[in-house]
Amino acid sequence: MQIKGSIAIVTGAASGLGAATAETLAHAGARIAAFDLNADGAKATAEKLGGVGYGVDVSNGESVEQAVAKVVEDLGAPSILVNCAGILQGERIVGREGPADLDAFARVINVNLIGTFNMMRVAATAMSRNEPSPGGERGVIINTASIAAFEGQIGQAAYSASKGGVAAMTLPAARELARHGIRVVSIAPGMFGTPMVTALPDEMQVALSANIPFPKRLGDPHEYGRLAMHICENEMINGETIRIDGAVRLEPK
């Protein structure tokens, strides 16, 4: 996929991995459609990059359908989608006050897993109408899993289930969308300096970094963005979940 001149939708673009990825792709020549539930944040990111920002609830079918249609109207058909929108909910299955909150579990699944599928189904439909490149490519979709999909910690049942679903969805989606010339790849980041992590106390952030073999630091969101950029450019990367984690493996807690 040639990034220069492409239209890229990035979800969760108000901050963290999404904002860094939008910036990386914009600097490579893409026109950015920044999606976020925080409409002001999405528009702020887009304004800095010469793109367009939209307030979007990725877990809502109508919200996504309307937003993607607006992107096509405002900018043209997308050929890149990077799904970074996500939430984290920590809760034990059996807590001191009884069973886990089922609504909280469902909310994480709705945003992280169903939201990813929702964006994929609508964006892929728009991509399928693109003129193919000389190699037959019409689009690339990059979803965000997590190392918690493989080594989920105590209290991460909802988050791990949602991200495990994203990883498991990657290959069947890539196989199905191959006929349209659309690739599907997932990235599984480890400990990155996103708002989810930087909101933790400093001592907890230091402890998290200490467990990373090398480099012994939190990941820079732009490192995620550069990997996303490489995936866009490398047509042979397809149907795979790629870890970017400094070789860390999560302990039970």
Side-chain angles (χ1 to χ4, degrees), residues 17 33 84 108 145 159 182 196 201 211 219 221:
L17 300 179
C84 294
V108 174
Y159 188 71
I182 299 170
M196 280 187 187
N211 290 329

Side-chain angles (χ1 to χ4, degrees), residues 1 6-7 77-80 123-141 177-183 235:
M1 173 65 61
S6 295
I7 295 158
S79 54
I80 297 169
T125 300
M127 291 176 184
S128 70
R129 302 183 182 119
N130 289 337
E131 284 297 316
S133 71
E137 189 171 29
R138 289 186 172 90
V140 57
I141 295 171
L177 296 178
R179 65 189 293 267
H180 300 291
I182 299 170
R183 293 184 290 122
E235 291 185 1

Side-chain angles (χ1 to χ4, degrees), residues 223-237:
E223 291 171 315
Y224 175 102
R226 291 197 297 273
L227 177 56
M229 181 175 69
H230 178 72
I231 291 168
C232 289
E233 294 174 333
N234 191 328
E235 291 185 1
M236 279 302 290
I237 302 177

